[in-house]
Amino acid sequence: AHVWQRFMGTVEICKQLGISRSHLYRLRKQGILKPITHYWRSGDSTNSPLLWDLETVGFALGVGSWLGLLISQRVHHFQPYICM
């Protein structure tokens, strides 16, 4: 069973949102993604990896809610039958 994970590392969040690492870091540098709201360090060191909040980063990128993101990735789309 898949367990949904809200907080994740850079590689994982880029995969989930379909964006590049450079795009993610550019948004951070531009101030669109803010510390504590969107990300934080996983340790006390300034070299500690960043942890990202999938829900708040998704909202900032206009993806929508985490639930919408989760559903869009898990539900198979289908074409409805057209009765003539």
Side-chain angles (χ1 to χ4, degrees):
H2 177 78
V3 177
W4 182 75
Q5 184 178 2
R6 178 174 173 173
F7 308 104
M8 55 189 62
T10 302
V11 172
E12 292 86 5
I13 198 162
C14 288
K15 275 187 198 177
Q16 288 290 325
L17 296 175
I19 61 173
S20 68
R21 292 174 67 172
S22 61
H23 183 68
L24 186 68
Y25 283 116
R26 188 175 323 114
L27 294 172
R28 180 175 165 240
K29 186 175 181 179
Q30 292 171 344
I32 295 168
L33 301 178
K34 301 181 182 337
I36 301 173
T37 302
H38 300 102
Y39 66 90
W40 59 93
R41 296 265 173 214
S42 60
D44 294 332
S45 169
T46 56
N47 293 329
S48 297
L50 293 175
L51 288 177
W52 300 88
D53 182 332
L54 179 61
E55 184 174 3
T56 61
V57 172
F59 273 121
L61 297 178
V63 173
S65 71
W66 66 268
L67 184 57
L69 178 65
L70 184 66
I71 290 170
S72 71
Q73 293 180 349
R74 302 287 175 239
V75 175
H76 299 286
H77 298 284
F78 63 93
Q79 292 290 333
Y81 290 104
I82 299 173
C83 299
M84 296 185 162

